[in-house]
Each structure stands twice: as C-alpha cells, then as structure tokens.
C-alpha cells in the first residue's frame, strides 16, 4: 500500500482508496503535463461510465446504475488481460516476458481486488434495499462507506489503470481507449440510444470514447516525443529521444528520465539522466554483471 492505515483513517474512504488502489509500487508520472492529460481522461471516462443521457433526460435509475457497474466490471475484467496479453505478444519480438512478471502479477491482483470491491458493493446495495427494516441502518451505512471507497478507488485506477504503468508507461492510455470503445460499440450496434433521438444518441454515445481516445493519443504522443517511450517497443528497449523533443526540467541539461522500467545500464549523461532520476522508481529491473537485460 502507499500508506499505513490507522483506525481513524479507516473511517475515511478516500484515504483507504488512496492506500489500496494506488500502492507504492506504481511509478510516479514522468511529466506534470501527462498528469493533466490523465485527469482529463478520467473525467471523460466518468462520462462514459455514468452515461450522459442520465443528465440529459434528468433521470436517475439506481437499479440501472448498479447493473451498469456490473457490466463495466465484466468488460474491464475481460478486456484488460486480453489487451495486455496481445501487447506481450508484440513485446516478445524484442524481449522476454519474464522481466515483466512481477509488475504483471501486481497489476492483476489490483484488478481483481477492485472488481471484487465493485461486485461486493452492488450485492450489498441490493441486499440493503431488499431486506429493509432493521437492516436498513447498519447495511446502509456500510454500503455508503464502501460506495465512497469504490468511487475514490475508481478515480485512482482510472489514472494508473491498475498499475499497468509499472509494466509499460503507454499501457494505461491504451487500456482506457479500448475499454471505453468496447462499452460504447454495443449500444450503437443494437441501436440502444437510451431514449435519445438518433443524432443526440450517436453524439453522446460516441462523445466519451472519441474524447478518451483523443486524450490518450496525446498522452502517448507526448511520452514518445519527449521521453522515447514507444508502445510497440519492449519496456527494456533503450528509448530513442529526438534532440528537439528533449525537455529540461529544473535546469537539467541532460533532459528527462527515460521511460524504460527495466534497463538502467544505459549510458550516462549527456544522453541520459542519472539513475536516481529513473521514472519508474526503485525496485525496477537492473541487469547484473553486464549481462544481456533480456535474459539468456
């Protein structure tokens, strides 16, 4: 976890969500501008999750919200491992999967924990509404606390997408794009416009995935141009940073830290920053005794 929880902090769902859904092994962002793009992507993703038609028609069906939460959880549980698996096939051309085993397992555990929290929340609300009576107060307060934790947790995992940035910096925007499109396409195929007119339905159904895609592409483009982080390149591949794309934060004449989480044996300045400025933080893979970083 990112923080130790005390008895007092456990009562605050925001602190619990921060500790559970943004653990210490998730790397910090390499650039403040990338953080701003992530926040914009989170907002657009929230619009896709809750549905703009709810606000347009001024309707709120709580049962439908619970059903949508289960549907979204199933989509994320299916599409996240599938997308990462396809990228592993691509990366195997230039490296090994063995190097990414630890961050992959950590991300999978975080994904399963979050999905379990959402499913537990849905069944808790359904039980609270069906039982009523004496159970309404204790179950209701528990459901409200868990709702707050899941909402704050959703904000955290929307930014880091279950810590997949520890595997590859470009995975979170890729996963956000694939997920939002997968949630929007069925409505277009089935013609379910949620009571809106044809024009408004298409605009609002496609608005969120198109916005998320645009922001994700900007995020990946910035990672590629300024830090040499390429989605198709194995994470252990040394970055190729164009001279005109190098940033110089805080007066650093050698440019930003590279986006490579496994290879720290690259040449030192003037082409790369000192090892302590590595963007993935401590605990990443380091080759030993000059051996090939891909194993063997």
């Amino acid at each position: 976890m990112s923080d130790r929880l005390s008895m007092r902090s456990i009562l605050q769902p925001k602190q619990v969500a921060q500790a559970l859904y943004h653990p210490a092994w998730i790397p910090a962002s390499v650039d403040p501008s990338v953080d701003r793009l992530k926040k914009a992507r989170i907002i657009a993703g929230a619009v896709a999750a809750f549905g703009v038609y709810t606000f347009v028609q001024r309707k709120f069906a709580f049962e439908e919200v619970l059903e949508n939460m289960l549907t979204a959880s199933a989509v994320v549980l299916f599409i996240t491992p599938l997308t990462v698996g396809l990228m592993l096939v691509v990366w195997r051309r230039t490296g090994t999967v063995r190097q990414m085993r630890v961050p992959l397992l950590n991300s999978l555990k975080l994904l399963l924990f979050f999905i379990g929290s959402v499913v537990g929340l849905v069944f808790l609300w359904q039980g609270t509404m069906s039982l009523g009576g004496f159970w309404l107060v204790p179950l209701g307060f528990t459901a409200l606390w868990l709702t707050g934790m899941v909402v704050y947790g959703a904000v955290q995992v929307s930014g880091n997408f279950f810590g997949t940035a520890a595997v590859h910096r470009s995975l979170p925007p890729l996963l956000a794009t694939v997920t939002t499109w997968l949630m929007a396409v069925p409505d277009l195929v089935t013609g379910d416009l949620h009571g809106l007119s044809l024009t408004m339905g298409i605009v609002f159904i496609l608005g969120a995935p198109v916005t998320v895609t645009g922001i994700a592409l900007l995020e990946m483009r910035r990672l590629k141009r300024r830090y040499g982080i390429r989605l198709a390149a194995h994470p252990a591949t040394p970055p190729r940073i164009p001279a005109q794309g190098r940033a110089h934060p805080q007066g650093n004449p050698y440019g930003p830290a590279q986006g490579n989480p496994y290879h720290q044996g690259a040449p030192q300045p003037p082409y790369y920053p000192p090892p302590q400025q590595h963007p993935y933080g401590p605990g990443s893979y380091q080759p030993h005794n000059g051996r090939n970083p891909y194993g063997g």
Side-chain angles (χ1 to χ4, degrees):
M1 294 189 299
S2 57
D3 299 302
R4 289 187 176 182
L5 297 175
S6 62
M7 291 300 298
R8 184 176 180 179
S9 62
I10 288 178
L11 300 177
Q12 303 178 26
K14 182 177 181 179
Q15 293 191 16
V16 176
Q18 172 68 27
L20 294 178
Y21 297 117
H22 194 84
W25 52 266
I26 296 179
S29 177
V30 295
D31 192 320
S33 62
V34 175
D35 276 337
R36 290 192 292 269
L37 289 174
K38 286 182 179 180
K39 291 178 182 179
R41 175 162 52 83
I42 291 172
I43 294 174
V47 173
F50 291 101
V52 183
Y53 67 92
T54 301
F55 301 95
V56 174
Q57 293 188 313
R58 300 184 183 276
K59 293 181 180 180
F60 183 80
F62 189 69
E63 293 79 7
E64 187 173 352
V65 171
L66 295 179
E67 181 180 343
N68 290 341
M69 290 174 63
L70 289 178
T71 303
S73 299
V75 170
V76 171
L77 184 60
F78 168 76
I79 199 62
T80 301
L82 178 61
T83 305
V84 174
L86 292 176
M87 292 308 304
L88 290 177
V89 174
V90 175
W91 293 333
R92 279 180 63 90
R93 301 172 183 174
T94 53
T96 64
V97 177
R98 181 179 56 187
Q99 298 166 263
M100 298 175 281
R101 184 178 303 169
V102 173
L104 284 171
L105 290 177
N106 287 337
S107 298
L108 178 61
K109 288 186 288 187
L110 190 59
L111 169 65
L112 295 177
F113 183 77
F114 179 75
I115 297 299
S117 300
V118 173
V119 173
L121 174 63
V122 171
F123 283 108
L124 182 58
W125 272 118
Q126 290 176 343
T128 301
M129 293 185 294
S130 62
L131 292 176
F134 168 79
W135 297 103
L136 185 61
V137 174
L139 290 180
F141 275 111
T142 304
L144 286 174
W145 182 91
L146 187 58
T147 299
M149 191 196 73
V150 169
V151 169
Y152 284 117
V155 174
Q156 296 293 333
V157 298
S158 297
N160 58 54
F161 228 96
F162 310 105
T164 50
V167 180
H168 196 292
R169 288 285 188 176
S170 297
L171 268 182
L174 172 66
L175 290 170
T177 300
V178 174
T179 302
T180 52
W181 274 107
L182 193 61
M183 294 176 63
V185 167
D187 287 340
L188 291 175
V189 173
T190 60
D192 184 8
L193 302 180
H194 306 288
L196 297 173
S197 65
L198 178 61
T199 302
M200 292 293 291
I202 293 177
V203 168
F204 284 114
I205 290 176
L206 290 181
V210 169
T211 303
V212 171
T213 301
I215 296 172
L217 289 176
L218 285 175
E219 186 177 342
M220 288 189 286
R221 182 171 181 267
R222 188 171 184 86
L223 289 172
K224 179 180 179 181
R225 293 191 64 182
R226 295 180 65 88
Y227 305 102
I229 304 173
R230 293 159 291 145
L231 177 62
H234 189 280
T237 305
R240 296 197 301 250
I241 308 176
Q244 65 274 17
R246 293 180 180 174
H248 306 284
Q250 300 178 357
N252 179 10
Y254 305 120
Q258 61 177 336
N260 174 10
Y262 303 106
H263 182 76
Q264 287 188 337
Q268 295 298 312
Y271 301 105
Y272 296 94
Q276 61 267 25
Q277 295 183 3
H278 195 283
Y280 283 77
S284 56
Y285 174 86
Q286 297 184 13
H288 298 283
N289 301 325
R291 297 178 61 187
N292 186 340
Y294 302 135

